Amino acid sequence: MQKITGGLLFFGCLFLSMAVGAMLWRAGLGAGAGISATLATLALLAATCALAWNVNNTRALKQELAKIKKAHRLLADAMESTQGAMTQLAQAIDEGPLSRTDALTGEVRMLEDMVQQMNASLEERLSQAATSDLRLHVVSNGNGNGNGHGNGMLRTVHDALAEGRVDLYLQPIVTLPQRRTVFYESFTRLRDASGRILSPAEYMSVAEGEGLVPAIDNLLLFRCAQIVRRLARQDRKVGVFCNISLSSLGDETFFPQFLDFLSQNGDLKDALIFELGQAVFEARGATEARNMAKLADLGFRFSIDKVQTLDLDFADLQRSDVRFLKISADLLIEQLLEMDGAVPLPSKPDIQAADFSPLVRRYGLELIAEKVESERQVVDILDLDVPLGQGHLFGEPRAIKEAVLAETDPPSEFVRSTLQSAERRLRH
């Protein structure tokens, strides 16, 4: 746009200069005087345009600096309240032991009922896998490293679940520009025997292949439910985003009991939001879509994260009861503010950058800018009218203390029988 404006100004100045020169030539002052007048006029106009251009750039720079100063003022005002919110969360979770005889009794019984059908053990499978891997190692003279790593990770995941080496992390989601915490996102992280935290990329493929993902989802759901109730008792009505896998949504053994548990705990519907990645959401089949609809019928809401493009099927999201849309700050800035005249949504060519947030709201979605790491990003996403933000700038994921985590553990029988369920599903 600046290039086009600059070109138009140049040609305008050139036209006016030539017009002045032509007038002097027609007045009988000669060609030399006309050319000199043309050049002088052009130089004068160019200097005037340059001055105006510099003034305009200076004004724009001042406006930009004002925005940055405003953001810093907001940060100064909000950092204390954000830190206070995290401190209050820790205090709310730390205070008051969980009553096993009232809040948990019904839920534990329900969760134990969910796993009555899980009768076989993974120990036999792990033993067989180790024996098979040893034989493969002998036959191939040491070329079986891939299976060995997979079996080792399977053992690590199994032991982490069985021995309670599963941590719960919470990260705040805040309003913008106030930065008041209104939600938390929950994460599970497994630890190996040495205490090292495993990244999901290390164990999820093994967990999915061995049917352990529903066990992880069960544990996350149970703990999130207890954390939500602890916060509610402290009069902190804060929602928690809880990830759920496609395999759990489509599991014929897991999902009916999962649905039954949630139907008997309807007070959770306003506080738990189930989250799926965009690729997972788009890969759902008829069974998964139907089970999502059943959760929605109970009043639970959904969120989509890991978004790769802004050109989404918003009508499909609305039909599927998705109520939150998480998009990384970098993607929003790149595809809306740095598009250099390109259309941000090819399927909706009439939509401009400033129209994106209202478009999202029109389909009943709340937009969350995630992975916010800098104040500069905050300035940009505020320009885009994004109402919510998440990222290390507002607070890193914090592990719930071990003492509190122990109180949110389901009974050992639940963990044991949940692990045993994987073998039954594999056998069938």
Side-chain angles (χ1 to χ4, degrees):
M1 180 61 73
Q2 290 182 346
K3 292 180 179 180
I4 295 174
T5 303
L8 291 174
L9 285 173
F10 172 77
F11 284 112
C13 291
L14 182 61
F15 176 78
L16 288 173
S17 301
M18 293 177 65
V20 170
M23 289 174 60
L24 293 178
W25 178 70
R26 289 172 63 96
L29 295 180
I35 293 173
S36 298
T38 298
L39 294 175
T41 304
L42 181 60
L44 178 61
L45 291 174
T48 303
C49 290
L51 179 60
W53 191 271
N54 287 335
V55 170
N56 185 62
N57 284 344
T58 301
R59 184 181 299 111
L61 180 59
K62 288 181 178 179
Q63 291 175 350
E64 198 70 19
L65 288 173
K67 289 181 180 179
I68 294 174
K69 289 180 179 178
K70 181 180 178 181
H72 278 287
R73 285 197 302 270
L74 289 171
L75 174 63
D77 294 339
M79 282 300 291
E80 184 177 350
S81 61
T82 301
Q83 185 62 38
M86 293 299 291
T87 302
Q88 289 175 13
L89 170 66
Q91 292 174 348
I93 292 174
D94 286 341
E95 293 173 358
L98 200 61
S99 173
R100 292 286 180 179
T101 60
D102 47 32
L104 276 180
T105 300
E107 293 172 16
V108 170
R109 187 178 297 113
M110 178 63 65
L111 287 168
E112 289 174 338
D113 290 343
M114 289 169 62
V115 293
Q116 287 303 311
Q117 303 176 26
M118 308 171 180
N119 299 317
S121 173
L122 281 175
E123 293 298 333
E124 181 180 356
R125 182 177 182 83
L126 287 164
S127 176
Q128 291 174 350
T131 302
S132 174
D133 182 59
L134 178 60
R135 289 173 181 169
L136 178 61
H137 180 81
V138 172
V139 171
S140 62
N141 193 24
N143 292 326
N145 294 335
N147 286 338
H149 173 74
N151 293 332
M153 184 55 67
L154 174 59
R155 165 66 71 178
T156 299
V157 173
H158 175 272
D159 290 350
L161 292 171
E163 297 171 13
R165 295 196 303 270
V166 183
D167 297 328
L168 178 67
Y169 283 70
L170 296 179
Q171 183 177 32
I173 299 171
V174 303
T175 60
L176 295 176
Q178 300 88 354
R179 307 191 191 196
R180 179 174 58 87
T181 300
V182 289
F183 299 106
Y184 290 96
E185 178 166 2
S186 62
F187 307 91
T188 50
R189 293 292 182 265
L190 307 186
R191 284 177 283 116
D192 64 16
S194 69
R196 184 178 71 88
I197 298 174
L198 304 176
S199 70
E202 291 182 82
Y203 63 80
M204 281 306 295
S205 60
V206 172
E208 289 172 352
E210 300 300 330
L212 292 173
V213 171
I216 297 172
D217 283 352
N218 262 344
L219 189 56
L220 178 60
L221 171 68
F222 187 92
R223 284 179 167 166
C224 284
Q226 300 315 316
I227 293 298
V228 163
R229 291 208 167 107
R230 277 177 164 273
L231 294 174
R233 287 200 297 273
Q234 298 294 325
D235 200 26
R236 288 176 52 81
K237 301 186 182 303
V238 179
V240 176
F241 285 72
C242 183
N243 285 275
I244 187 169
S245 66
L246 200 63
S247 58
S248 292
L249 284 171
D251 192 297
E252 295 179 357
T253 300
F254 165 79
F255 189 80
Q257 290 92 356
F258 179 82
L259 186 68
D260 194 25
F261 169 72
L262 292 175
S263 67
Q264 297 195 32
N265 290 273
D267 60 310
L268 298 175
K269 72 180 187 305
D270 295 324
L272 285 182
I273 301 104
F274 294 110
E275 188 160 87
L276 305 90
Q278 181 191 359
V280 172
F281 175 76
E282 292 177 350
R284 74 198 189 284
T287 299
E288 292 83 3
R290 185 165 54 251
N291 287 339
M292 284 181 67
K294 291 178 181 177
L295 290 173
D297 288 342
L298 294 178
F300 289 93
R301 298 167 290 172
F302 295 96
S303 170
I304 300 298
D305 67 351
K306 300 181 178 68
V307 172
Q308 300 299 314
T309 175
L310 303 187
D311 200 9
L312 299 162
D313 187 343
F314 294 100
D316 184 38
L317 295 175
Q318 186 178 46
R319 286 193 301 269
S320 302
D321 295 289
V322 175
R323 294 294 175 263
F324 299 89
L325 186 62
K326 286 186 180 180
I327 304 176
S328 72
D330 282 343
L331 185 64
L332 286 167
I333 294 168
E334 176 187 338
Q335 296 197 11
L336 293 178
L337 294 181
E338 298 176 355
M339 56 187 178
D340 197 23
V343 176
L345 307 181
S347 65
K348 296 179 174 61
D350 56 326
I351 296 296
Q352 302 300 313
D355 303 324
F356 183 75
S357 188
L359 172 69
V360 170
R361 289 195 294 270
R362 194 154 63 242
Y363 283 93
L365 299 166
E366 287 194 60
L367 183 59
I368 302 173
E370 61 176 349
K371 299 179 182 176
V372 181
E373 310 293 339
S374 70
E375 289 297 332
R376 176 68 218 182
Q377 289 175 316
V378 174
V379 172
D380 288 336
I381 61 180
L382 284 174
D383 282 345
L384 294 171
D385 194 25
V386 177
L388 298 168
Q390 178 183 358
H392 286 193
L393 180 66
F394 308 124
E396 297 184 4
R398 289 182 53 178
I400 300 302
K401 294 181 180 179
E402 289 187 13
V404 177
L405 206 59
E407 292 183 2
T408 64
D409 275 342
S412 58
E413 174 62 23
F414 163 71
V415 176
R416 184 184 64 79
S417 54
T418 298
L419 291 174
Q420 292 172 351
S421 72
E423 182 65 19
R424 165 163 286 196
R425 281 193 292 272
L426 287 170
R427 288 179 175 178
H428 291 286

